[in-house]
């Protein structure tokens, strides 16, 4: 009798621990590329944006500074990083920091 009681108790115990592990849903792995794309959603690409887009999307960037950014890009090639924006005349550290979260380079 004790042996049967102990066996049924062990069976119930094993069933309890195995059920949640097998019933747990598995989340599909997201590709790293998708995560990078999601990070850049809503950001202005310094290497592709027009002067009008730069002017409308960035804080403190008017027509003259937006055109200076495009002219710098055309003269020196694509921006290697957002920090290279400091090389453009009229763009200082404060202006860059104000817009850093809105900018990207691809």
């Amino acid at each position: 009798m004790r042996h049967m009681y102990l066996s049924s108790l062990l069976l119930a115990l094993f069933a309890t621990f195995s059920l949640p592990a097998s019933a747990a849903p598995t989340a599909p792995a997201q590709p790293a590329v998708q995560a990078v794309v999601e990070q850049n959603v809503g950001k202005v690409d310094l290497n592709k944006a027009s002067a009008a887009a730069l002017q409308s999307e960035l804080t403190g960037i008017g027509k003259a500074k937006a055109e200076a950014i495009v002219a710098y890009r055309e003269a020196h090639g694509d921006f290697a990083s957002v920090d290279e924006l400091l090389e453009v005349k009229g763009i200082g550290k404060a202006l860059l920091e104000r817009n850093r979260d809105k900018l990207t380079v691809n």
Side-chain angles (χ1 to χ4, degrees):
M1 175 103 167
R2 283 188 194 178
H3 181 58
M4 187 178 271
Y5 177 73
L6 185 59
S7 296
S8 62
L9 185 61
L10 285 174
L11 179 63
L13 183 66
F14 286 130
T16 302
F17 286 117
S18 65
L19 180 63
S22 64
T26 58
Q30 291 186 354
V33 173
Q34 183 178 355
V36 171
V37 170
E38 288 174 358
Q39 287 178 343
N40 291 334
V41 171
K43 292 190 176 192
V44 178
D45 187 348
L46 287 174
N47 294 326
K48 295 182 179 105
S50 65
L54 292 167
Q55 183 180 351
S56 67
E57 298 293 325
L58 302 178
T59 305
I61 302 290
K63 183 178 179 181
K65 287 182 184 174
E67 289 173 352
I69 292 169
V70 172
Y72 180 89
R73 179 179 68 207
E74 289 172 355
H76 298 93
D78 285 350
F79 288 91
S81 72
V82 173
D83 291 320
E84 190 178 343
L85 194 59
L86 292 172
E87 301 297 320
V88 178
K89 185 177 180 182
I91 307 292
K93 288 181 183 181
L95 189 57
L96 174 61
E97 290 306 319
R98 195 176 320 147
N99 291 292
R100 184 178 293 278
D101 60 329
K102 300 175 190 174
L103 296 170
T104 188
V105 291
N106 288 327

